Amino acid sequence: MDKGYLYIATGSKFIEEALTSIRSLKKIDSSVHATLVTDKEVNHAEFDNVIIQNIDKVNTTNWKEGIMFKVMGLLKSPYNKTFFIDTDTYFADDCSELFDLLNHFDLLMAHAPADTAQVVIDEKKVAGYYSYNTG
């Protein structure tokens, strides 16, 4: 499939958040295609595709290792152009024009303006580095 929206969620809380998010998106554009990568069976018509991913390989008690579940889920995207969305995203307007940017760039990321930590590598501050939001 050419383009679609991808959610990655583990556990009931985040699956419910993803449902709220996809419902807000489908109110704006009912024709969107959406996939959910999750650790358990989910039967909700809002998702066109559900991919079960084993969570046993990831230590989710450590948030950094828990991000690996996202990485593994991104690799399962069925789309040529994937719009990855955090489960707590609520759509207030159409943003499908972002897919067009993927004609020119391999990857697009949003800044994380609340993350103001200075990045240090080899004991040197990295100038010009901006933290990004993983969703």
Side-chain angles (χ1 to χ4, degrees), residues 34-47:
T35 294
L36 173 66
V37 177
T38 187
D39 59 333
K40 62 182 181 177
E41 286 291 325
V42 173
N43 294 311
H44 293 285
E46 292 87 351
F47 294 107

Side-chain angles (χ1 to χ4, degrees), residues 92-135:
D93 203 352
D94 180 27
C95 58
S96 60
E97 70 274 3
L98 294 174
F99 283 111
D100 294 336
L101 290 172
L102 291 172
N103 292 330
H104 309 284
F105 302 98
D106 292 332
L107 180 68
L108 303 170
M109 293 183 157
H111 287 280
D115 186 352
T116 59
Q118 178 69 49
V119 175
V120 177
I121 298 176
D122 295 331
E123 300 179 20
K124 295 179 184 175
K125 292 183 181 180
V126 178
Y129 175 86
Y130 298 97
S131 297
Y132 55 86
N133 185 310
T134 65

Side-chain angles (χ1 to χ4, degrees), residues 67-98:
I67 289 176
M68 284 305 298
F69 190 82
K70 276 187 182 181
V71 172
M72 293 181 329
L74 287 167
L75 293 172
K76 294 180 186 269
S77 174
Y79 311 112
N80 294 327
K81 296 178 182 176
T82 301
F83 194 132
F84 170 64
I85 307 162
D86 264 351
T87 60
D88 62 352
T89 302
Y90 186 86
F91 287 87
D93 203 352
D94 180 27
C95 58
S96 60
E97 70 274 3
L98 294 174

